[in-house]
Amino acid sequence: MGHTEGKPRNQELDVARYEDAHRSSLSDPDGFWLRAAEAIDWERAPTRALDATRPPFYRWFSDGRLNTCHNALDRHIDAGHGDRTALIHDSAYTGERCSFTYAELRDEAARFAGALRGLGVGAGDRVVIYMPMVPQAVVAMLACARLGAIHSVVFGGFAPKELAARIDDAGPKVVLSASCGIEPGRIIEYKPIVDEALALAAHRPDAVVVLQREQSRADLRKDHVPWVELDWDELTAGAEPADCVPVAATDPLYVLYTSGTTGRPKGVVRDNGGHAVALAWSMSAIYDIGPGDVWWTASDVGWVVGHSYIVYAPLLIGATTVLYEGKPVGTPDAGAFWRVIAEHGVKALFTAPTALRAVKKVDPGAGLLAGHDLSGFRTLFLAGERLDPETYQWATDTLGVPVVDHWWQTETGWPVAANLRGLEPMPIKPGSPTVPVPGYDVRILDETGKETERGGEGAICIKLPLPPGTLPTLWGDDQRFVDSYLSRFEGYYLSGDGGYLDEDGYLFVMGRMDDVINVAGHRLSTGSMEAVLAAHPAVAECAVIGVKDRLKGQVPRGLVVLKAGADIGPEQLRDELVAAVRSEIGPVAAFKDVDIVAGLPKTRSGKILRKSMRSIAEGREEPVPSTIEDASVLDALRPVLRPGTD
Ligand code: COA
Ligand code: AMP
């Protein structure tokens, strides 16, 4: 394709320091982001960055055209780097390691794109990907990008009903899966999950393509279903490689579903142009990673962290990315992360604090570090949940490298607050992800929408427009986008987190202000768990709250009130409710704790006081809202919420 030539590949940060960069990104967004856009190959270069013609729907690079797969693969090959390693796959379960050069990964993606095209997939069509951490998952994402098709990856720990909800919302032409995933001590057969999801879904794809893994092969049905079931390798073997299809910068690259406050997941849309520009910029400015560096994000391709920092960002800048199938502990031991870093020469690791807490719990003295050469390891990046000071200190002492917290969300796609290690490393304050990243105008608003004084806590908001790479809308639902994020405070994006900015401009994130919880770095909705509990015939009403957990950060806790005359033993009810959440949402919900109570505290207008229950469960005595209908209900709950108190 006819991409523009002769631009610097490695964007030069012509604003040397953080403050200049942040200021100019807000005062001159066009200049700032058009300069950053020079690091990307365009089929038609954009003439302007910000398109503010239809607020609050801001768009970026709207007259540009590009292909994200070309930028992630082909252009590095065109520049003579085809032999550089693009992807290293390391499975702690199977012991397999393999790697792909940029040329090899391009060939795989082109062939698989050809296979998808043969199934009728073209620009704008959706493809749902429900796969474990195998290289083919990355190939599939890149193949979709190559065709201008829109992928929607669903995390493997979600149950059929959740998969079905995403299939119905995205309306995919093709569903891609594998015969199985692997979890410690057990093989998880994916094909029956896909079958069940498709039986539940109203939408019918044209085809289901299954990668057969030798740990457990799936039966592919030749008839009796309205779609064809195909073997991945057979389909790909006969496929003609497909070229990159240029798309508008504003066309969607993917839809990724995330938990909102209700049970219905939100389809976060990511565009092609803003995403490529922002992610490439972030790799050098935030993570200090350049072409050829080995970079490892220990997450899953089913989460935004995996989309941005396992797949797209490292490939967009020509780095080497590690795809790790395994856990931090138990596969086989708590030295797994150190082994991977040493074996593959990892320069920086990005993971969630919970992974380190898991390692620390098993190997507090980090004895398993011995024998692993970490001399090339420079930085540990953590995000996805609050980084508690104890874990921060342990990691700093153990690894002897900067431990860098940063804060962002599925919606933003890349960091909102960070310590910009490439642009200008700053002193670390434990408990803070440091400062707002260039492009983000972070403000703390009180309940009335006024900015708080420095140090004053409130809702963390971002003044519009959001920078490139952030969500332009929710899939097929502009109104829900506005209602969920933009309507609380006009002119601002509501992050859902609370916090404050200190006198040095450092951001402190105190946690969600809504009913979203964060379990082992996984974002979940208490509302969707409540919907499962409420559906049980013995349950009159219920609440699910997130309570602090030493390992997972938070875990869900259910409280149910029985219907009058319900005839079921407490043990049986508990087992049934736990099993129901596991089968309807998935094991990832980690829902194991439920109590039967006499009543739930409510306001006079009938709103359940989840926050008050949570503060009691966590041992914080906060004032009870004056709107409470009957304070004695809350008092009666104290011994249940926090045994040993009353
Ligand atoms: N497919 C199927 N099941 C899965 C799964 C997948 N892809 N991922 C997790 N599960 C299952 C687990 O087997 C577990 O099942 P169990 O209840 O039968 O034990 C359940 O879902 C909960 O998983 P998880 O929350 O991951 O807990 P864990 O005890 O297996 O592991 C940690 C705990 C801390 C080791 C693990 O959560 C971890 O490594 N977290 C890293 C954080 C991370 O990747 N965050 C993503 C955003 S950065
Ligand atoms: P997700 O969309 O799954 O990435 O989850 C985003 C949410 O995780 C945020 O809204 C926060 O509540 C939480 N989160 C992510 N990173 C951090 C962090 N560094 N500190 C505190 N909370 C975080």
Side-chain angles (χ1 to χ4, degrees):
M1 54 198 283
H3 287 270
T4 44
E5 297 292 330
K7 298 177 315 299
R9 283 291 168 274
N10 236 333
Q11 82 239 36
E12 280 174 17
L13 299 165
D14 53 352
V15 270
R17 294 177 56 81
Y18 163 72
E19 274 183 20
D20 289 344
H22 192 252
R23 194 177 313 115
S24 89
S25 73
L26 302 185
S27 62
D28 177 24
D30 262 305
F32 186 89
W33 288 114
L34 280 178
R35 274 196 302 281
E38 289 174 5
I40 293 301
D41 252 2
W42 299 87
E43 194 242 355
R44 188 170 75 214
T47 58
R48 58 169 199 255
L50 178 62
D51 174 354
T53 49
R54 209 167 64 91
F57 298 93
Y58 296 93
R59 306 307 311 255
W60 291 92
F61 311 112
S62 37
D63 62 349
R65 290 183 73 78
L66 78 164
N67 180 279
T68 295
C69 183
H70 169 87
N71 275 282
L73 300 175
D74 303 61
R75 82 176 162 126
H76 305 307
I77 302 159
D78 298 348
H81 303 304
D83 291 340
R84 188 186 284 159
T85 305
L87 177 77
I88 297 170
H89 181 240
D90 183 313
S91 175
Y93 297 120
T94 66
E96 283 161 354
R97 323 258 190 279
C98 68
S99 65
F100 297 79
T101 64
Y102 270 90
E104 288 166 343
L105 194 58
R106 191 266 317 265
D107 291 349
E108 294 282 335
R111 217 176 14 255
F112 196 64
L116 287 176
R117 195 177 48 194
L119 296 175
V121 174
D125 289 331
R126 276 81 60 212
V127 174
V128 162
I129 302 176
Y130 183 72
M131 292 185 74
M133 290 284 282
V134 290
Q136 288 86 349
V138 178
V139 168
M141 293 165 77
L142 292 164
C144 290
R146 199 167 185 87
L147 296 174
I150 303 165
H151 60 69
S152 187
V153 185
V154 180
F155 176 61
F158 281 120
K161 201 167 162 212
E162 293 284 327
L163 177 57
R166 287 154 174 80
I167 288 172
D168 273 340
D169 199 70
K173 211 163 216 174
V174 174
V175 174
L176 304 174
S177 192
S179 55
C180 66
I182 311 173
E183 281 292 294
R186 68 185 205 273
I187 302 290
I188 301 186
E189 294 190 8
Y190 276 25
K191 178 65 176 20
I193 299 177
V194 174
D195 289 346
E196 203 181 323
L198 286 170
L200 290 169
H203 176 78
R204 299 267 167 267
D206 294 346
V208 174
V209 182
V210 179
L211 175 77
Q212 297 284 13
R213 299 186 81 187
E214 63 187 43
Q215 289 76 17
S216 171
R217 293 179 69 83
D219 286 331
L220 301 186
R221 292 170 294 189
K222 298 276 177 254
D223 46 22
H224 308 309
V225 277
W227 51 86
V228 288
E229 295 195 344
L230 301 163
D231 178 285
W232 189 294
D233 290 334
E234 284 172 19
L235 175 75
T236 316
E240 276 294 307
D243 284 336
C244 293
V245 176
V247 294
T250 50
D251 281 342
L253 170 68
Y254 69 77
V255 178
L256 177 60
Y257 290 86
T258 191
S259 301
T261 49
T262 67
R264 200 159 62 90
K266 296 168 169 170
V268 168
V269 175
R270 192 80 58 217
D271 69 9
N272 275 274
H275 173 255
V277 172
L279 259 52
W281 187 86
S282 74
M283 280 311 268
S284 56
I286 298 177
Y287 299 104
D288 194 23
I289 292 292
D293 286 340
V294 182
W295 160 261
W296 175 28
T297 298
S299 176
D300 190 285
V301 289
W303 306 114
V304 71
V305 173
H307 279 62
S308 294
Y309 293 107
I310 295 175
V311 183
Y312 287 110
L315 297 178
L316 282 165
I317 59 143
T320 298
T321 186
V322 177
L323 180 76
Y324 172 69
E325 186 185 34
K327 299 264 174 182
V329 292
T331 59
D333 58 33
F337 273 25
W338 320 140
R339 174 193 63 78
V340 173
I341 293 173
E343 197 170 316
H344 303 300
V346 170
K347 185 177 170 189
L349 164 66
F350 175 178
T351 190
T354 197
L356 292 188
R357 286 197 297 269
V359 173
K360 175 169 146 257
K361 190 173 164 198
V362 178
D363 185 21
L368 293 168
L369 254 178
H372 295 299
D373 176 9
L374 264 55
S375 55
F377 186 55
R378 295 276 175 278
T379 323
L380 173 65
F381 292 95
L382 296 171
E385 53 169 334
R386 180 174 170 266
L387 173 56
D388 56 289
E390 208 184 317
T391 305
Y392 165 78
Q393 205 52 55
W394 181 84
T396 306
D397 296 345
T398 301
L399 293 168
V401 298
V403 173
V404 180
D405 184 12
H406 58 315
W407 171 73
W408 52 293
Q409 320 178 289
T410 306
E411 289 84 346
T412 66
W414 63 290
V416 183
N419 196 315
L420 293 105
R421 308 305 295 174
L423 184 62
E424 184 192 350
M426 291 181 169
I428 290 170
K429 293 193 191 186
S432 166
T434 315
V435 290
V437 166
Y440 291 96
D441 191 355
V442 174
R443 308 286 176 108
I444 310 295
L445 303 184
D446 69 15
E447 289 203 333
T448 67
K450 273 219 306 287
E451 261 184 73
T452 59
E453 306 261 305
R454 266 296 147 104
E457 230 178 288
I460 307 178
C461 296
I462 303 161
K463 195 162 190 284
L464 297 179
L466 293 171
T470 55
L471 84 169
T473 190
L474 292 175
W475 179 250
D477 207 342
D478 283 352
Q479 192 55 49
R480 192 171 180 207
F481 170 61
V482 173
D483 293 346
S484 306
Y485 303 106
L486 309 181
S487 62
R488 178 72 182 85
F489 302 113
E490 207 187 324
Y492 295 86
Y493 165 85
L494 181 75
S495 73
D497 283 287
Y500 63 93
L501 285 161
D502 77 0
E503 65 284 1
D504 299 321
Y506 277 52
L507 182 71
F508 285 77
V509 180
M510 309 307 289
R512 297 286 307 195
M513 300 177 81
D514 54 18
D515 297 325
V516 167
I517 60 171
N518 206 306
V519 181
H522 310 317
R523 175 166 157 185
L524 298 162
S525 146
T526 53
S528 65
M529 295 184 217
E530 287 177 2
V532 176
L533 303 188
H536 192 285
V539 172
E541 57 179 359
C542 64
V544 174
I545 55 173
V547 293
K548 271 203 187 117
D549 179 78
R550 279 186 71 77
L551 176 65
K552 299 196 175 193
Q554 275 186 308
V555 287
R557 191 155 173 205
L559 298 153
V560 298
V561 179
L562 292 186
K563 278 185 187 154
D567 185 20
I568 185 166
E571 283 308 317
Q572 190 190 340
L573 179 63
R574 271 191 204 111
D575 291 350
E576 286 181 13
L577 293 176
V578 167
V581 173
R582 193 175 174 94
S583 83
E584 299 213 9
I585 296 176
V588 67
F591 182 83
K592 299 193 167 146
D593 191 1
V594 54
D595 281 301
I596 299 161
V597 296
L600 294 169
K602 290 186 199 145
T603 61
R604 279 188 285 276
S605 59
K607 219 171 150 247
I608 295 176
L609 291 164
R610 294 180 182 77
K611 201 162 162 246
S612 300
M613 290 193 280
R614 204 171 71 209
S615 66
I616 292 174
E618 293 179 348
R620 284 177 281 116
E621 275 307 320
E622 284 174 10
V624 175
S626 57
T627 50
I628 192 164
E629 187 187 30
D630 178 357
S632 70
V633 175
L634 193 58
D635 290 336
L637 271 183
R638 267 173 220 281
V640 180
L641 290 167
R642 201 166 170 76
T645 58
D646 47 36

